[in-house]
Amino acid sequence: AAENMPKKIGYVVNYATHEWYQNVIKGMKDRAAQLGIELEVKDANLDVAKQVAGAEDFMAQGVDVLIITPVNEEGVVPLLRRAKAENMPLVLEGNPVKGMTTMVAICDYDTGYHAGVAAGQYAKEHLGGVAKVMNVGLPLLSATVLRSNGFMDGIKTEIPEATLVHDLDGGGNPDRALEVSSAALAQNADVNIIYGINDNSSLGGLQAWKAAGKSQDGLLVVGTGGEGLAFINAMETEPSYKIEAAMFPEKVGFTAVDAAVKVFNGEAVPEHIVSPTTPMIGADWKKYYSVEGTTRSINWDAVNGVKPADKCMKTAADLK
Amino acid sequence: MPQSVSSLAAAPAGPSLLRRLARRNEIALLLSLLAVIAFFALASDTFLTTRNLTNVLGQAALPLVAGIGVAIVFISGEVDVSIGSLVAAIAIPLITIMNATESFALGVAGALALGLAVGVVNGYLAAYLGINSLIVTLGTLFILRGGVYLYTGQRAIPDDVMLESFFQLGNGRLFGVVPHPAVIAVILLIAFAYFLRHRPFGRQLYAVGGNPEVARLAGYNVRRVKFVAFVISALLATIAGILLASRLGSAVHVAGLGFEFQVVAAVVLGGVSLSGGVGSLAGMALGVLILQFVSNGLGMLNIATEWQLVITGGIIIAAVAFDELKRRRA
Amino acid sequence: MPADPALRPAAEAAAAPALEMRGIGKRFPGVIALEDVDLVLAPGKVHALMGENGAGKSTLIKIMAGVYGKDAGSIRIGGRETELRTPRDALAQGLKVVFQEIALIGEFTVAENIFLEQYPVGRAGSIDWKRIRGEAAALFARIGFDVDPAAKTGDLPISQQQMVEIARALAHEARIVVMDEPTSSLTPSEVALLFAVIRRLTALGIAVVYVSHKLDEVFEIADEVTVLRDGRHISTKPIGAHDHDSLIHDMIGRRIENLFPRSRGHHKGEVVLSVSNLSTDAKLKDVAFEARAGEVLGFFGLMGAGRTELAKAIVGFDPIRTGTIAIGGRPLKPHDTRTGVSLGIGLLSEDRKGEGLMLELPVQQNMSLAALENFSRAGFVEEGRERSAVQSFVDRFRVKTPSLAQPIKNLSGGNQQKVLIARWLMRGLKVIVVDEPTRGIDVGAKSEIFALLDRLAGEGLAVVMMTSEMPELLGLSDRILVMAGGRITAGFERDAATQEKILNAAIG
Amino acid sequence: MSLVSDRSQIVLLGILALLCIAISLAAPQFYTGANVIAILRQCALVLIVATGMTMLLVAAEVDLSVGASLAFTGCVGMDVTNRTGSLVLGTLAALAFAGGVGLFNGLVVTRLKVNSLIATIATMMMLQGGVYLYTREAVQNLHQIRAFTELGAGYVGGLPIPVLIAALIFIAGFVALRFTTFGRYLYAVGANGKAARLSGLRAERLKLVAFLATGLLVGVAGLILASLMNAGQPTAGRGFELTVIAAVILGGTSLSGGRGTLVGTLLGVLVLKVIDNGIIILRWNQDLQMVVPGVVIILATWLDLVRRRRDAR
Ligand SMILES: Nc1ncnc2c1ncn2[C@@H]1O[C@H](COP(=O)(O)OP(=O)(O)OP(=O)(O)O)[C@@H](O)[C@H]1O
Ligand SMILES: Nc1ncnc2c1ncn2[C@@H]1O[C@H](COP(=O)(O)OP(=O)(O)OP(=O)(O)O)[C@@H](O)[C@H]1O
Ligand SMILES: [Mg+2]
Ligand SMILES: [Mg+2]
């Protein structure tokens, strides 16, 4: 297909210093380089106002396509309107926004759900069919709420009497997760599964468990994201860390650039372009990633082989 | 004793006009701002375009508007760090009321009512009960943010009615060129600069911050002056919050996180003293613009966030240290 | 009764005293500042208010100015009973005060400070800056004070700030003008100008309250004198009924035989401080002198002559450009106060509040600050020894304080000064530099401080004294150096010095 | 009670007692050993840094960079231990780094005369940027040295090691501030810098030492945090500076220098952390973890003010 290539793509990321987005950007850069496109990134650093400013600056600089990961999905509605008024093609990453053309995203609910199913199966085999869950969650974002909900729904398909003992706000960061989990475990330690909405959260929960002086026998820890090296290290060294719901950030970036090219050419695109996820159990991670020193490389063949769902089971719209 | 002795005593001569001007902090700031602009104009070919410059003005409008209030509180000898949460909180009545009534004016009235209430509470606790204002406003910063999260259940509240007037307020441009927020910021700046310089109450703010005991002896109601400063600050933060809500088209619970740091840094950079009684709105505005242009320019040069943080931090230290050195020389 | 003119108006005043305070009482934590005090001011008269440090003068003034509320008593202004809850109430009644502590906004211009109480406004309520500048200049011209109305007030030396204070009290319509130690930083010529102004005020029927520790001034300007002691009313008499001794007796309850005692002979020890070729960026030019153990070396100069700067430079507080300073033969290097103190030189600053006191901290910690190492072992403070040392100084100097734990801000100026002198005596020095050591201090305490400085010299210290008080200079110094424009312009032995010669050298 | 000699902590003690009673009535788990230990461990990190911060505030300075420095230090400590395989070197590197940050702050404030609030906001920004230049990812524990894990998660005689470390540091700080010339000089410098200098104190040097001490204590806390999380986390420590300062202020230390005690700070830390813990134990909405401390800080400061005014009568 002799498509026209955009010369320059501008990406306003919500939080560039986070490992997840580091890897999204990595995937974007790889794909842009393959296609001969210049990619520029501006970081909103979790500041909604700065995000709008970043997009404005890109439009002033004259990029051909904008990709945006919203800090908050409601907060970019006027921005989309202004982009449309200036005929600026725009692709969203992560979350849907009123008035958008297309969005590239994983299915958060499905991700949690499949991890939940895997956790249920594991509990049946190794934990005597008991599932008492501590969710180290993040109510701040609809995406992370969907993951937690999916996880509980998934686990219940295997163990209907599974209970949610603690539903916590770990802030998505490790020290807060640790602190909150410690308090929760002190209140009630009758828990055998720790679920974290990202790797920081699951590890924070696990560290709280260890700090309380408990053995990891009979414990299962399930993380989400597979953002960097942390989960790999945990899966290699921590006996309880058995399941990781991998979300392949590099693949998300890769797909977003492809979508940007399509939108630039005015091609028809679905509203939601799904990027694949899958639970990795035990040593599965080695199929998708290899580690050398402190860098990990993605195995594109394996990842491209994971089939994305056509449609998410549940989305943010279902939460309201 | 002859009267001439006193004129023979080595009375300090007033410094010449030129010297006085050179000592003015604003001149140094203006030169720094021009240097920043010149640097980025040379380094990037998209920086010095009308579009980009007006963009930056529009982006600077929020810290400018809120900065007026923070500067006024600083001048009165107190501090206000609650604005970061306030800009997020006032969007809630604004959007909720607009959604319910489809009236922009009613929404703004609701926002102003909340802003006023916060200003009154801050002012009452700090000025009348005498609780340290950093503690008070740190407290309201936490309380308001927590309140926003509790009220919204940590979801943004979307604007369902999409009034055109509301959209235009933050997103439109006067004559298609100057963003409306910039126009509003300039009008407020001029009005408050006049107020501080030419109204007795403006001078009372300086006097109260410069030396509260003296101000009291001169017959001022020190508490009331400080109280009013907090109310002004909250109302200006409310206006900034309304502009932000328009740019975001919703009440976003995470809006304004860290905004108070950003504004305080700019205000201090602009020469408004933390110990009260010193500073001007012109200086404050230059402080805001310098930081905004640096941030924009580094973005234009495609410099990563981590470097932007390091460079901005370095600039703040260098600028304040330079100012201090200059003052010691003088 | 004699036909003293000061008494005649008393009959008229009975009809309408400008101010009548009856049975005033005021207590602070641990202190009864005033008890059952009366004060009646006649229009057109100067009423002096006298008393030792801590007698309650400033407190009484602050009550009439609405700064403090009173615990007991009543106040009538112009015959009508009034409550003065805030300074604004007093100002509205036409009562203007020149406070003991300079009460100006340092960041404002002189002209703006003058109109602080009420800005003249023009159309639409905007401040009329032109009028402010014009009227301020006219006011200074009328009084004869030499102050630039456009100068930033904080940049001015204390003496000029004091002139601004005085001018401010005169800028508005007043019925009563109160001056709490207005001349503590003024030169004699400026005092003369002030007195001319006061006479003009009284001619207009304005009542004036005048507080000063300088007896000569009081005898010159006052019509009546009220004396307070320990917060109680002792006497109110026409000035003609007093002489120096009787006034002092009323104030301190005893006589002072000799204000400038001299216990030591003319023996001079070796040179302990030698300064040569000293210049600073700001003012000092090529200053050189020596001070010997056992002598009091007096420095005189007009305001701005550079005495304070010299004092701060030789103790290592302010940087110098050139020159050497040696204490006990050892050079002050590096040039900082720590080296200075360890070599044995210390400064009693003229700015008590800004450079001496730790206002919020107790008397004990204020006094022991410089000597703390004497009471410490291996870095630990031995508080028992510290406390008893502080207590012994408090007793010896008769520091009036309810306890050693009292925050020093609650002590009167004279008592604060005693604590600060004790700070250095505790430490033990070779050279003590005292800058205006008796500013704002009553005669009783003054004589104690003089005796103290004399005794210190007798014990072998070199006392370097910067002063603007001619009697103090002549009474205490063994040798006198005069400064003008940052240089030493003359030097006199005690016996060769006269007031005329000194003033001539000071004018430069 | 003799420790609380100046009675300034009565209000806080009252609040703390009330909180404990109220929470334990509603949720008996509050008094379980596990929970008490969890609370103490959370107090430990804050208390360690707050000890230094109290000294700074007494000397009329402040350090807002401690949160950012905490994260950075953990990364440095973990990374150097990984590279050298030596816990000693890793610890030294972390302490050197955090001490260096403290020294930098101190020099900027004392030499360049930059207001410490603004100087340390700037340092905070530089550290936040710098840590990502140093590492984009959490630095994993590759060395698996046992002693390192023990630092955060170990116990001695039933007490968590971080709590013991914090207790030692607190006692040392308390003694230094209360009984030594150094402590007395800090108060003097904070109360009137010029008077202190005229009395032969090296005011700038003393402030520098306080900054350095705070820096080193951040280093200790950073190592403990890295051990607790089993990784050096560049994202850790957000808002930590506000928690520390809130605790110190709550403890009655004056922002304008010259006044404050470490006993107050300890109570301040306890009050804040008991509130945090109580909200989770009571299963209240966690968003209240912002609201309640805000109210308590204002309330406690006000009550203390009322008490002092009454005492002054
Ligand atoms: N704010 C205060 N708090 C506590 N005690 C005070 C306060 N102000 C004054 N005092 C005490 O009240 C007494 C009277 O003080 P006041 O200042 O009126 O003395 P004064 O006569 O003006 O002395 P001086 O000549 O030194 O100025 C003193 O013992 C003083 O320590
Ligand atoms: N033009 C000026 N601007 C700012 N400060 C000044 C000026 N002139 C004098 N000062 C300050 O006023 C104080 C007194 O100054 P200086 O040492 O020159 O005079 P002095 O001889 O001690 O006279 P006095 O203390 O009686 O005013 C010093 O602290 C000095 O810094
Ligand atoms: Mg007095
Ligand atoms: Mg002087």
Side-chain angles (χ1 to χ4, degrees), chain B residues 194 198-199 203 216 219-220, chain C residues 67 87-88 112 116 124 126-127:
Chain B
Y194 161 80
H198 294 289
R199 305 300 290 199
R203 303 312 295 169
R216 203 167 89 81
Y220 297 174
Chain C
V67 178
R88 213 167 358 157
E112 186 172 2
L116 206 57
S126 291
I127 297 175

Side-chain angles (χ1 to χ4, degrees), chain A residues 57 198 302:
Chain A
D57 291 348
N198 61 8

Side-chain angles (χ1 to χ4, degrees), chain C residues 241-290:
Chain C
H242 272 302
D243 59 17
H244 264 82
D245 284 353
S246 72
L247 187 51
I248 291 175
H249 185 271
D250 276 1
M251 284 165 62
I252 62 179
R254 65 191 155 93
R255 291 188 182 280
I256 293 180
E257 296 308 327
N258 182 3
L259 193 54
F260 301 107
R262 240 189 124 71
S263 58
R264 66 217 143 89
H266 280 280
H267 164 78
K268 281 188 193 167
E270 54 200 61
V271 173
V272 284
L273 169 68
S274 81
V275 174
S276 58
N277 188 25
L278 177 69
S279 302
T280 61
D281 286 336
K283 195 176 279 171
L284 299 182
K285 287 179 214 81
D286 202 15
V287 173
F289 70 93
E290 288 182 343

Side-chain angles (χ1 to χ4, degrees), chain B:
Chain B
M1 182 121 332
Q3 296 212 353
S4 57
V5 176
S6 101
S7 49
L8 282 170
S16 73
L17 184 68
L18 208 68
R19 284 275 294 282
R20 256 187 244 178
L21 260 184
R23 257 187 8 195
R24 292 285 298 200
N25 176 36
E26 289 82 1
I27 303 293
L29 284 168
L30 186 62
L31 291 178
S32 320
L33 178 62
L34 292 178
V36 166
I37 292 179
F39 172 79
F40 285 117
L42 291 176
S44 153
D45 46 359
T46 44
F47 179 81
L48 205 60
T49 57
T50 316
R51 177 72 189 269
N52 188 52
L53 295 182
T54 53
N55 267 355
V56 178
L57 287 183
Q59 294 158 11
L62 270 72
L64 277 178
V65 172
I68 297 173
V70 170
I72 284 178
V73 174
F74 274 30
I75 287 170
S76 83
E78 302 289 330
V79 290
D80 185 354
V81 295
S82 67
I83 57 161
S85 297
L86 185 56
V87 291
I90 63 99
I92 294 175
L94 177 72
I95 300 286
T96 323
I97 294 177
M98 279 199 306
N99 282 345
T101 64
E102 302 203 5
S103 159
F104 182 32
L106 284 179
V108 170
L112 286 172
L114 177 62
L116 183 68
V118 172
V120 166
V121 169
N122 280 344
Y124 180 74
L125 293 174
Y128 284 101
L129 292 189
I131 308 174
N132 180 298
S133 58
L134 182 58
I135 295 178
V136 168
T137 55
L138 208 57
T140 38
L141 180 80
F142 284 127
I143 295 170
L144 283 172
R145 182 66 65 183
V148 168
Y149 287 0
L150 283 171
Y151 182 83
T152 60
Q154 305 211 13
R155 301 263 172 286
I157 305 175
D159 171 14
D160 295 331
V161 290
M162 302 251 197
L163 300 168
E164 187 58 22
S165 53
F166 178 58
F167 176 82
Q168 285 301 329
L169 182 71
N171 298 287
R173 285 169 184 254
L174 185 67
F175 311 126
V177 182
V178 191
H180 287 153
V183 177
I184 293 170
V186 169
I187 291 173
L188 286 172
L189 265 175
I190 292 173
F192 275 96
Y194 161 80
F195 167 76
L196 283 183
R197 175 73 193 144
H198 294 289
R199 305 300 290 199
F201 191 83
R203 303 312 295 169
Q204 292 196 7
L205 282 165
Y206 279 93
V208 159
N211 192 332
E213 195 47 40
V214 172
R216 203 167 89 81
L217 295 178
Y220 297 174
N221 188 337
V222 173
R223 291 174 170 186
R224 204 192 49 164
V225 172
K226 294 192 170 191
F227 175 82
V228 173
F230 281 102
V231 172
I232 292 176
S233 173
L235 289 177
L236 285 167
T238 304
I239 296 176
I242 294 172
L243 293 175
L244 179 62
S246 166
R247 277 165 75 79
L248 301 179
S250 52
V252 180
H253 53 295
V254 291
L257 283 173
F259 185 59
E260 65 282 352
F261 275 148
Q262 187 196 339
V263 173
V264 168
V267 167
V268 175
L269 183 61
V272 182
S273 158
L274 280 162
S275 42
V278 181
S280 71
L281 292 188
M284 180 281 296
L286 288 166
V288 169
L289 287 176
I290 288 174
L291 290 184
Q292 201 73 43
F293 270 110
V294 166
S295 150
N296 170 270
L298 291 175
M300 289 286 158
L301 295 181
N302 212 2
I303 289 180
T305 323
E306 37 267 55
W307 277 114
Q308 292 193 23
L309 284 166
V310 173
I311 293 170
T312 312
I315 286 179
I316 291 176
I317 289 187
V320 180
F322 175 77
D323 188 46
E324 193 53 49
L325 282 178
K326 190 168 49 92
R327 206 168 306 176
R328 265 190 288 173
R329 283 281 157 70

